[in-house]
Amino acid sequence: MIGINGQNIMLNKPSDILKIVLFDSSCNLKELEQGVEDKSYLVITFDYESHQLLNKNNIKHEISDSYLNRVELETIQKKSYELVDWFKEEKQNELEYNGVNVGSLMRVEFNYFLVPFLKNFAAIIKIYQKYSSAKFSASIPLHEIVKTLTNNIKKLNENSATKEEFYYDSVSIPLKIKNHSFSFKLSKNRFLKLKNISEKSIHRFFGPKKLHTNEKSILLVEFDPVRYRHFLSASKNASSIMLYNRRRPTIWNSNSYNSIKKSNCKIVTLYDLMNKNLEINIKNGETSVANKVSSALANADFLEEYFSIYSHSFWEIIEKKFKNLLKKRFLDSIKEIEIASKLLEKYKFSSIVVWSEIGSTEQIIIKLAKKHAIPVVLFQHGLFFDDELEGTNQMNKFQGVFPVDSDEIIVWGDIEKNHQLKNGIREEKIQVLGNPYYDRIRNIPNPKNKHILLATSGPVIENSIDLTIETIEKNQSTIRKICEVVTNLQKNLVIKLHPSPDEFDPTSLARKINPGIKVHKTGEILKLIEDCDVFVVIDISTVILDAQLLGKPVICVQVKDSGYGTPSVLTSNSCLVADKDNFQEILMRVLTDSKYRQEAIERGYNYAKSYLVNVGCTSEKILEHLNKKYN
């Protein structure tokens, strides 16, 4: 091993280790140097940023991932899915407000916190078991874990301030100015203030002021008016539509404005619902639930036993953060529950349509809809992993793929219908009607196709395997390889980032290889696919279907193995499957072998047509179904 000063250190066995430094991205090199008092030490990094920093400075170290095997990573993932349902185990009724369990509303965000925490916690247990007699120095977050195992520990960055921030404490705002796209983050409070200001104008021009008392509408919850503009437009002469978007503004640019203007839908905002009585109800509700939360958290023995893994409790470590998260979110939840209650009391709805059962707005609406006897329809929201592995089913259930609380689900075709049936969904709950998004796709040959389009879909923070350095580095090295290959072939490359706020931004990496590579961080991908010659996607993404319908050869470059098996879009041979090593060979053949290219296009198109029904008329079919069945 090489120390900070370049001296060789021979480490033959655990007993040789006198000191261990647990290093993460909250630390810097100066703190590392100050934390080392002698030369017999071992540095272990706990995230990609710290690993990259030490590599850049030629400091030898180990990666915490090396202490966890594949089975242990899968156990961490499974455990997180179990732990986020803590509210079901003890005094669950204590956290209910108007029939909505406040604890359930933070499941997704709690999972974002738990997965990386459990991964670090499990790794530190393994490290301590191997080096129990060593002296430890650790960053503040890691110190909290180590001190539950040993007193032989000190803080590495003791004078550094740490800011407690949860996943939904900030909002990523995408912007596009001319040909440049970028995003920036706003605190949630500042974002909501700006959103409320914008909704004054939205309410004035598009609020549901002219609705008759007995007129029934279809309520769309958290719908993107740009992505589903054809569906909104199709409703103009068929149905009364109301949009209820609490997480994001319904109108934020000219495209969203035009989409609303061309439809007959009305937008429900806070200005349509808020009054003095509602304000009083919110205040009273906050007081009531504050008492319930305190009662639910009073059973320390249960919580200490429940929040554990590998026979080690971590309740003491997360208690403060957990309570702070719950306090933050229950205040938001009471307000949202009361606003939604007012909405369902003020207007009459024939049905409610949601894209998800796990979003907080959707959960609230679904629960309240039951009280008002309003049917809820779940739309399939993506191209799902449909392998029957245990891990796949657990992930799908957590992601709200199946209609647990909804009255029915509208799926895109028979392939997903069979997937739903295999997972216990009754056939009468499944309607095969298609996806209204694809009504806008037209396969028109474009003679100007010149660029190769790469759609990224990188590791996600809610998956323990995705968090490993190996997966992150493989993702980046694959993007680098694709950039090099396309550049060497003297082809134009365009990169479109996945819309996730955590997606790796390859701009710097790509432009070091070729300054001419264009990177789109925001906006729709459809036009980019229409104009491309070859569509390359990292791992599995719904946009594969877009490219297949548009007659593009699709190369799926595999990076991650998140434990979800192989979906039918790959087992059907509808995509050309590549990895970093053989990508150049497959791309060259697509570009030079016309028969190979055409066969790939035909297989892709045939799969998309089997996966999707009613392409071009889905909106009308869905509206006809909703009006016929629920009006």
Side-chain angles (χ1 to χ4, degrees):
M1 177 178 175
I2 299 176
I4 291 177
N5 298 317
Q7 298 181 10
N8 291 326
I9 302 170
M10 300 302 295
L11 300 176
N12 298 317
K13 53 188 177 180
S15 59
D16 288 335
I17 303 295
L18 300 178
K19 182 165 184 173
I20 296 178
V21 179
L22 307 181
F23 194 76
D24 67 13
S25 55
S26 68
C27 308
N28 57 47
L29 280 178
K30 185 177 180 180
E31 290 167 335
L32 176 60
E33 292 170 339
Q34 292 174 345
V36 177
E37 298 167 353
D38 55 59
K39 302 305 178 184
S40 296
Y41 67 90
L42 171 64
V43 179
I44 304 175
T45 56
F46 277 77
D47 50 36
Y48 176 73
E49 292 77 16
S50 58
H51 164 66
Q52 193 177 37
L53 176 66
L54 297 194
N55 268 351
K56 184 178 179 180
N57 287 274
N58 296 316
I59 298 173
K60 195 164 184 179
H61 57 279
E62 291 185 356
I63 299 171
S64 61
D65 301 343
S66 64
Y67 291 85
L68 299 171
N69 59 38
R70 175 80 185 203
V71 173
E72 288 163 339
L73 289 170
E74 291 174 351
T75 298
I76 288 167
Q77 190 68 45
K78 181 179 179 180
K79 190 67 175 177
S80 183
Y81 287 149
E82 294 174 1
L83 292 174
V84 295
D85 285 338
W86 63 276
F87 55 88
K88 295 180 180 179
E89 301 295 326
E90 180 76 1
K91 298 184 178 180
Q92 57 177 320
N93 293 332
E94 290 285 352
L95 291 175
E96 284 198 357
Y97 182 77
N98 285 0
V100 181
N101 193 304
V102 177
S104 71
L105 301 180
M106 55 180 273
R107 290 175 74 243
V108 173
E109 188 173 23
F110 193 26
N111 186 59
Y112 285 142
F113 165 79
L114 271 181
V115 173
F117 170 83
L118 288 175
K119 181 173 173 290
N120 287 345
F121 185 71
I124 287 175
I125 290 174
K126 292 302 183 69
I127 293 167
Y128 177 72
Q129 288 173 346
K130 185 173 182 179
Y131 303 113
S132 58
S133 60
K135 295 179 180 179
F136 289 86
S137 293
S139 68
I140 291 177
L142 302 176
H143 175 273
E144 296 300 305
I145 298 175
V146 182
K147 74 178 184 179
T148 64
L149 302 172
T150 177
N151 293 323
N152 207 353
I153 172 70
K154 75 172 187 176
K155 294 177 183 177
L156 185 60
N157 47 351
E158 192 164 4
N159 297 321
S160 301
T162 58
K163 182 181 178 181
E164 181 179 83
E165 185 173 354
F166 299 104
Y167 193 81
Y168 291 148
D169 283 347
S170 60
V171 178
S172 181
I173 308 296
L175 285 178
K176 187 172 184 179
I177 300 177
K178 294 184 178 179
N179 294 324
H180 300 282
S181 58
F182 57 93
S183 63
F184 65 95
K185 282 191 174 183
L186 283 179
S187 70
K188 184 177 179 179
N189 289 336
R190 181 168 293 183
F191 167 76
L192 290 176
K193 287 179 182 178
L194 293 175
K195 179 176 181 288
N196 289 339
I197 291 172
S198 72
E199 287 189 341
K200 287 184 179 180
S201 298
I202 292 173
H203 172 65
R204 179 181 177 185
F205 292 104
F206 299 107
K209 297 180 289 295
K210 297 181 180 180
L211 283 180
H212 298 295
T213 304
N214 295 321
E215 183 180 355
K216 285 189 175 183
S217 301
I218 298 171
L219 180 66
L220 308 181
V221 180
E222 301 293 359
F223 264 63
D224 180 347
V226 175
R227 185 171 178 82
Y228 297 101
R229 55 182 175 267
H230 190 94
F231 183 73
L232 297 182
S233 177
S235 71
K236 190 166 187 178
N237 299 317
S239 306
S240 174
I241 297 284
M242 290 179 66
L243 278 175
Y244 183 65
N245 291 354
R246 293 294 299 156
R247 288 195 291 272
R248 297 285 176 130
T250 305
I251 297 176
W252 67 92
N253 60 15
S254 58
N255 289 335
S256 55
Y257 172 81
N258 290 332
S259 176
I260 297 297
K261 189 175 181 181
K262 291 176 182 178
S263 72
N264 73 340
C265 73
K266 303 299 179 183
I267 303 172
V268 185
T269 67
L270 192 60
Y271 293 94
D272 183 52
L273 302 173
M274 185 61 73
N275 56 34
K276 286 294 182 181
N277 288 335
L278 185 54
E279 290 178 359
I280 292 171
N281 289 342
I282 292 171
K283 288 293 183 183
N284 291 339
E286 289 173 351
T287 302
S288 171
V289 173
N291 295 329
K292 291 182 177 183
V293 168
S294 297
S295 176
L297 296 177
N299 192 346
D301 291 339
F302 160 74
L303 293 167
E304 184 171 351
E305 180 181 355
Y306 185 77
F307 287 106
S308 63
I309 189 171
Y310 296 125
S311 301
H312 287 269
S313 174
F314 54 87
W315 172 243
E316 178 186 342
I317 306 169
I318 71 165
E319 179 180 5
K320 182 179 178 181
K321 288 184 178 179
F322 179 79
K323 289 181 177 179
N324 287 343
L325 173 62
L326 191 57
K327 182 179 179 180
K328 279 186 176 183
R329 298 302 173 246
F330 91 71
L331 290 173
D332 296 336
S333 299
I334 300 311
K335 180 178 180 179
E336 293 303 321
I337 292 169
E338 286 292 348
I339 292 171
S341 296
K342 178 70 175 179
L343 168 68
L344 299 188
E345 291 168 2
K346 185 172 182 178
Y347 298 108
K348 293 185 177 181
F349 299 106
S350 58
S351 60
I352 296 175
V353 180
V354 298
W355 281 107
S356 162
E357 286 193 348
I358 64 169
S360 56
T361 310
E362 292 89 343
Q363 284 192 62
I364 290 168
I365 287 289
I366 290 170
K367 293 296 184 183
L368 295 177
K370 300 294 183 184
K371 297 174 65 175
H372 291 266
I374 305 172
V376 176
V377 179
L378 174 66
F379 275 14
Q380 179 183 344
H381 62 262
L383 179 66
F384 299 145
F385 279 87
D386 48 13
D387 202 314
E388 295 306 310
L389 295 176
E390 180 184 1
T392 311
N393 291 334
Q394 289 173 341
M395 180 272 296
N396 281 333
K397 289 175 182 176
F398 182 79
Q399 294 291 341
V401 167
F402 309 116
V404 177
D405 293 316
S406 301
D407 295 280
E408 70 174 5
I409 181 171
I410 291 177
V411 298
W412 299 353
D414 287 331
I415 293 176
E416 180 53 31
K417 176 183 177 180
N418 292 332
H419 178 223
Q420 297 276 333
L421 290 171
K422 287 180 181 179
N423 283 273
I425 306 304
R426 301 191 311 275
E427 187 166 8
E428 59 267 26
K429 287 189 71 170
I430 306 171
Q431 295 292 331
V432 181
L433 294 174
N435 181 359
Y437 167 76
Y438 291 109
D439 287 347
R440 38 193 299 220
I441 287 187
R442 298 291 183 270
N443 188 351
I444 302 174
N446 186 351
K448 297 181 180 180
N449 293 340
K450 293 182 178 180
H451 70 253
I452 292 170
L453 176 62
L454 168 63
T456 65
S457 182
V460 294
I461 65 170
E462 66 267 29
N463 183 280
S464 58
I465 298 170
D466 285 18
L467 286 173
T468 61
I469 304 300
E470 179 183 9
T471 301
I472 296 170
E473 288 187 329
K474 188 177 179 182
N475 178 65
Q476 295 185 17
S477 66
T478 300
I479 294 174
R480 183 181 296 108
K481 179 69 173 182
I482 293 170
C483 292
E484 290 171 347
V485 168
V486 176
T487 297
N488 290 337
L489 292 174
Q490 297 184 327
K491 296 288 184 178
N492 295 323
L493 178 64
V494 175
I495 301 176
K496 175 63 174 71
L497 271 61
H498 189 276
S500 168
D502 303 307
E503 183 68 24
F504 167 66
D505 183 354
T507 303
S508 176
L509 179 155
R511 288 179 180 166
K512 283 181 182 178
I513 298 168
N514 180 358
I517 294 174
K518 296 179 180 179
V519 180
H520 292 261
K521 302 176 185 178
T522 62
E524 290 191 282
I525 195 173
L526 188 58
K527 179 61 177 173
L528 298 175
I529 297 176
E530 289 176 348
D531 294 339
C532 81
D533 186 36
V534 181
F535 181 64
V536 182
V537 60
I538 291 180
D539 293 318
I540 302 303
S541 173
T542 303
V543 292
I544 288 174
L545 295 172
D546 301 41
Q548 291 175 334
L549 285 176
L550 288 168
K552 309 295 179 178
V554 178
I555 303 176
C556 174
V557 185
Q558 295 187 303
V559 173
K560 300 185 295 182
D561 179 9
S562 303
Y564 303 146
T566 306
S568 61
V569 69
L570 296 188
T571 58
S572 64
N573 199 28
S574 76
C575 300
L576 297 168
V577 180
D579 57 30
K580 184 179 68 172
D581 296 329
N582 67 358
F583 170 72
Q584 179 170 340
E585 176 188 346
I586 292 176
L587 177 60
M588 281 287 293
R589 194 170 177 188
V590 170
L591 294 173
T592 60
D593 188 334
S594 58
K595 181 181 179 183
Y596 180 77
R597 175 189 177 93
Q598 189 58 36
E599 288 175 349
I601 290 173
E602 289 176 0
R603 289 196 305 272
Y605 184 77
N606 290 336
Y607 176 81
K609 292 295 287 184
S610 68
Y611 196 89
L612 297 159
V613 301
N614 298 326
V615 175
C617 61
T618 300
S619 298
E620 290 78 6
K621 294 288 185 181
I622 290 176
L623 289 167
E624 180 183 354
H625 168 73
L626 294 176
N627 286 324
K628 184 177 180 180
K629 184 169 183 178
Y630 297 116
N631 258 330

